[in-house]
Amino acid sequence: MTQTVSKSARPIPASSVRDDDSAVVDVDALSRALLGKWADIRLQARELAGREELHTPAGLSHTEHRERVMTQLKVLVDTKAVHRAFPKYVGGEDNHGGNVAGFAELVVADPSLQIKAGVQWGLFGSAVLHLGHREHHEKWLPGIMSLEIPGCFAMTETGHGSDVASIATTAEYDVEKEEFIINTPFRAAWKDYIGNGAVYGKAAVVFAHLITKGVDHGVHAFYVELRDDNGFLPGVGGEDDGVKGGLNGIDNGRLHFSNVRIPRTNLLNKYGDVAADGTYTSSIESPGRRFFTMIGTLVQGRVSLDGAAVAASKMALKTAIQYGTERRQFNGASDIREEVLMDYQQHQRRLLPRLATTFAASFAHDELLQKFDDVFSGAHDTDADRQDLETLAAALKSLSTWHALDTLQECREATGGAGFLSENRFTALRADLDIYATFEGDNTVLLQLVAKRLLADYAKEFAGADFGVLARYAVGQATDRTMHRTGLRQIVQAFADTGSEKKSAVALRDPKTQRDLLTDRVGTMVAEVAGALKAARGLPKDKGAAVFNANQHALIEAAHAHAELLQWEAFTRGLERIEDAGTRQVMTWVRDLFGLSLIEKNLGWYLMNGRLSAQRARTLGPYINRLLAKIRPHAVDLVDSFGYGPEHLRSKIASGEEKARQDEAMEYQRLLRASGAAPVDEKILIQRKKQAAKAKR
């Protein structure tokens, strides 16, 4: 992946960017750059998300919320907002990238609506589409698209979440009746947390081990009917998950099966089929590769969550930064005028680096969406492309969902008590997005997937290499370690850094320096883990697993660093799409803020590994503070470029009410002072007495 996805970002040379404090942001131009390839669909989706019938008032019971969201799904059907990804021969548009671009915007209306729509069409419908054949499509997709068949995606089990290969549900083939028999053999095998499972689901795509002629062929997908108008069908049972920490507009539930019989043809058989006589065939010989190919077709969920998390971060920052430019607190610089929150350096430190990260995540999501569309449209659909897509989606979904939670919390705190009120949406969005970090793949597990890919790519670099190549590499590694451990690299850099502080800061501002530092960290971390894991080769399974476990944290940290590098590179490529010089200047400062904040966050690593001298490291914080001061005047323009209006934010503190309150307060004080009737501050009287006493002496 590092070769095909993380290619050079062609950084804009520092010398080509004007360091002009008079630069201004063209909000419309920046908005167009952020909307990306599917701009029209994004705008259509935002118009839909701004409609009142798709909004959910605070204070509904979970039962009322579920009913409201179910009616909202019908609005999506009526406006043809759900048809884009499906084949034209069933009434769709075959527009995979556009579908996800539009879907991500539904989080603006209500995360429960977005995720319930994702269950129905992004999981249940997509599983039928991508794992079945045309006869399955023509039989079930029209009903799925029209909501005639509300459905479930029944993969996760109580006892196995991310470890899908180890689920316990079975589908055993009965040759005589040409039927599969679905069973959940014990309580931990129940399908759990299933959207539409508690109330509305009439059918499900159930993942189970396919067993025929006494052979377990691994996990496959089956179309299983669950309910009719009278409730569960024979052999099917379940229960309600009840009230959750968020997303209570979705009826999550548990499902279990006891000798439920389905026709042989209900096997979604694109990657594995069973003939009438029980013979199993597959176009993919390797069971492991077959499993990962099937699971890989369902990557749409991770791509969608990445986009939704970015959208939620944008809304939070628009609200908090708008409020921060209007809300006044404390008057340290003036006796009569309080300071705007965004003028405080610490407030800038709280919000502007998160704004920079949100831009980086936005540009990275746009590239991920293009990769997704290339694969699923067939434009670039090789095994390597699919592996790159799966790895990229795992990396970016992890970072963007964590970032959204962090941003929502920081924005809540940065808006004080007002941010805690439900009318300003931070708490509800934070609760709803909490689960984004662990569904469609637990973020930590997903980063382990990314890390394993990095190790595989690292190993490929030396596959078939002769002794001379390996020897030269070993010498290079030894030399590199010697330089860092003896401080030679630090000494050389310290010598180069001698001179003005400005010289060191300029070096850190250089995009090549930033990229080199970020890339070097990833490469070094991967190489160190790879070297440590070499000891596991040839060991018994349990001892090998122990070696891997001892290096698991370092492995995941390397994957995290790699994902951050991908975001930085996407941001840098995004700068190339901005034609307006002033906008590009400001956005270059924002990109630098993102890159240098990453380096500052990991400054201990760079110092301990000799990648930065202490002198240069000392310039980092002050330079970031100068960047914050440069970006501060453009903060509102930057969040306005996200394109979310009052109908999307639905937050009173972002509506202008705060400015009106502050203006009223200042006018009151002005008139009071002008009237001559203002009371005298006790501190002034004390000061006057001291001055009088001093004059007498």
Side-chain angles (χ1 to χ4, degrees):
M1 185 187 71
T2 51
Q3 298 301 313
T4 57
V5 175
S6 184
K7 51 178 83 167
S8 172
R10 303 194 307 278
I12 297 173
S15 60
S16 74
V17 179
R18 295 180 300 112
D19 195 8
D20 183 2
D21 289 344
S22 67
V24 296
V25 173
D26 184 330
V27 175
D28 290 338
L30 183 53
S31 292
R32 288 193 298 273
L34 292 173
L35 285 169
K37 178 177 178 179
W38 292 276
D40 290 344
I41 291 176
R42 286 190 191 278
L43 292 174
Q44 291 170 16
R46 286 183 191 175
E47 188 278 328
L48 182 62
R51 288 167 55 170
E52 188 174 355
E53 63 262 44
L54 295 187
H55 304 161
T56 302
L60 294 183
S61 70
H62 77 287
T63 301
E64 292 169 331
H65 196 177
R66 289 173 174 183
E67 292 171 352
R68 183 174 180 85
V69 170
M70 196 66 189
T71 63
Q72 291 170 339
L73 288 189
K74 295 171 185 175
V75 175
L76 300 184
V77 173
D78 292 341
T79 55
K80 295 191 178 297
V82 304
H83 292 58
R84 297 187 185 102
F86 294 107
K88 291 180 179 178
Y89 57 77
V90 292
E93 300 175 9
D94 279 321
N95 187 348
H96 300 277
N99 175 63
V100 173
F103 172 82
E105 298 294 337
L106 286 178
V107 74
V108 174
D110 180 356
S112 282
L113 172 61
Q114 186 208 29
I115 298 305
K116 194 171 178 76
V119 168
Q120 176 68 19
W121 297 294
L123 292 176
F124 177 53
S126 286
V128 172
L129 172 62
H130 295 302
L131 299 179
H133 279 106
R134 181 161 180 159
E135 56 268 27
H136 297 125
H137 303 164
E138 293 176 341
K139 182 176 181 180
W140 293 313
L141 285 182
I144 293 171
M145 293 163 67
S146 69
L147 207 58
E148 180 185 344
I149 310 173
C152 306
F153 184 79
M155 176 185 281
T156 301
E157 295 180 359
T158 305
H160 284 96
S162 298
D163 186 6
V164 179
S166 298
I167 62 174
T169 303
T170 59
E172 190 163 1
Y173 185 63
D174 181 340
V175 175
E176 291 185 4
K177 295 190 176 181
E178 296 188 24
E179 293 175 335
F180 286 99
I181 307 169
I182 311 293
N183 276 293
T184 46
F186 45 83
R187 175 60 184 82
W190 286 18
K191 299 299 181 181
D192 212 342
Y193 322 116
I194 308 302
N196 277 341
V199 179
Y200 296 105
K202 289 187 174 180
V205 171
V206 176
F207 288 80
H209 282 264
L210 188 160
I211 301 169
T212 181
K213 294 187 173 182
V215 177
D216 182 348
H217 292 280
V219 175
H220 288 64
F222 302 82
Y223 186 93
V224 182
E225 293 184 356
L226 301 176
R227 293 180 175 92
D228 59 18
D229 293 339
N230 297 314
F232 281 126
L233 297 174
V236 182
E239 60 189 36
D240 198 324
D241 276 326
V243 178
K244 307 181 294 293
L247 296 180
N248 279 303
I250 306 169
D251 56 313
N252 293 91
R254 304 179 181 98
L255 298 171
H256 55 85
F257 306 93
S258 178
N259 296 319
V260 175
R261 289 180 172 269
I262 61 172
R264 176 178 63 88
T265 52
N266 279 28
L267 167 65
L268 300 177
N269 60 347
K270 183 173 183 178
Y271 296 104
D273 197 12
V274 173
D277 67 357
T279 302
Y280 179 85
T281 56
S282 174
S283 59
I284 304 175
E285 185 175 351
S286 165
R289 184 164 162 261
R290 185 190 313 132
F291 170 74
F292 285 110
T293 300
M294 285 192 287
I295 298 300
T297 63
L298 306 173
V299 71
Q300 174 177 322
R302 293 170 188 169
V303 179
S304 300
L305 291 182
D306 178 52
V310 172
S313 297
K314 289 176 177 178
M315 287 196 298
L317 286 161
K318 166 59 183 171
T319 297
I321 287 176
Q322 186 71 52
Y323 180 78
T325 59
E326 297 173 358
R327 172 80 160 131
R328 294 180 179 276
Q329 193 80 52
F330 305 114
N331 55 356
S334 168
D335 291 333
I336 60 175
R337 187 180 179 88
E338 292 182 297
E339 297 298 313
V340 171
L341 292 181
M342 280 303 298
D343 286 344
Y344 289 107
Q345 184 185 79
Q346 186 59 28
H347 210 75
Q348 295 168 15
R349 275 273 184 174
R350 299 177 77 175
L351 296 181
L352 295 184
R354 288 174 172 85
L355 177 63
T357 302
T358 300
F359 275 110
S362 182
F363 285 120
H365 174 70
D366 197 49
E367 293 190 358
L368 172 62
L369 197 54
Q370 182 64 64
K371 185 75 174 174
F372 171 78
D373 189 70
D374 285 346
V375 168
F376 283 86
S377 69
H380 300 284
D381 186 15
T382 65
D383 282 346
D385 288 319
R386 285 184 175 261
Q387 289 176 32
D388 284 349
L389 171 62
E390 184 176 358
T391 310
L392 186 59
L396 297 182
K397 180 263 182 186
S398 298
L399 262 61
S400 65
T401 52
W402 274 328
H403 171 66
L405 294 176
D406 172 67
T407 298
L408 284 162
Q409 182 64 26
E410 194 65 36
C411 288
R412 206 295 294 158
E413 294 182 28
T415 51
F420 195 60
L421 298 178
S422 62
E423 67 184 20
N424 294 312
R425 296 189 70 197
F426 290 125
T427 54
L429 283 170
R430 177 64 175 75
D432 285 339
L433 265 69
D434 197 329
I435 192 62
Y436 283 36
T438 54
F439 80 161
E440 291 299 311
D442 177 283
N443 286 353
T444 300
V445 176
L446 290 180
L447 286 182
Q448 185 164 295
L449 180 154
V450 175
K452 288 182 177 179
R453 177 67 191 279
L454 291 174
L455 287 175
D457 285 354
Y458 179 85
K460 284 179 184 176
E461 291 183 23
F462 302 103
D466 61 27
F467 178 78
V469 170
L470 294 174
R472 286 193 297 275
Y473 175 77
V475 170
Q477 285 288 93
T479 303
D480 187 62
R481 285 195 298 270
T482 300
M483 282 193 72
H484 294 313
R485 288 177 180 173
T486 59
L488 291 175
R489 178 75 56 92
Q490 286 187 323
I491 292 169
V492 170
Q493 189 186 97
F495 179 79
D497 282 346
T498 41
S500 71
E501 177 184 322
K502 183 178 178 182
K503 181 178 178 181
S504 292
V506 167
L508 288 171
R509 185 178 68 179
D510 179 13
K512 184 179 183 302
T513 301
Q514 292 175 35
R515 187 178 190 278
D516 286 349
L517 286 168
L518 296 173
T519 304
D520 182 44
R521 182 165 181 260
V522 176
T524 301
M525 294 171 81
V526 172
E528 287 178 348
V529 174
L533 292 181
K534 284 174 64 177
R537 294 178 186 173
L539 291 176
K541 188 174 182 179
D542 60 335
K543 289 185 171 55
V547 173
F548 181 88
N549 189 49
N551 290 278
Q552 186 181 39
H553 176 70
L555 195 63
I556 291 171
E557 286 294 294
H560 199 133
H562 176 66
E564 291 170 338
L565 171 62
L566 293 176
Q567 288 182 329
W568 184 93
E569 291 182 328
F571 198 152
T572 302
R573 284 187 289 269
L575 292 176
E576 298 174 7
R577 303 206 302 265
I578 301 172
E579 296 181 359
D580 177 71
T583 306
R584 189 169 61 249
Q585 168 67 85
V586 175
M587 286 298 288
T588 300
W589 293 335
V590 177
R591 191 279 317 274
D592 290 348
L593 176 60
F594 174 62
L596 296 180
S597 294
L598 292 177
I599 294 167
E600 184 182 52
K601 180 179 73 172
N602 299 295
L603 193 55
W605 185 93
Y606 287 106
L607 288 168
M608 287 189 296
N609 287 274
R611 267 51 172 185
L612 284 175
S613 68
Q615 179 169 341
R616 184 172 294 189
R618 279 193 292 270
T619 70
L620 185 57
Y623 184 64
I624 287 175
N625 292 336
R626 289 198 293 274
L627 273 177
L628 294 171
K630 285 176 178 289
I631 295 168
R632 159 65 184 97
H634 310 284
V636 172
D637 286 341
L638 290 171
V639 292
D640 281 349
S641 74
F642 295 153
Y644 294 117
E647 72 278 19
H648 303 122
L649 301 174
R650 305 192 301 283
S651 172
K652 288 192 175 182
I653 58 173
S655 67
E657 284 189 6
E658 182 61 32
K659 183 178 186 304
R661 283 194 292 267
Q662 294 295 330
D663 289 347
E664 180 187 24
M666 287 190 291
E667 180 64 8
Y668 173 82
Q669 293 295 335
R670 186 188 72 78
L671 292 174
L672 186 62
R673 287 193 301 273
S675 71
V680 178
D681 191 311
E682 181 185 3
K683 289 184 289 186
I684 294 177
L685 288 178
I686 294 172
Q687 185 64 30
R688 287 175 180 173
K689 288 179 180 179
K690 288 182 178 179
Q691 290 174 346
K694 185 177 180 181
K696 288 180 179 179
R697 291 197 299 268

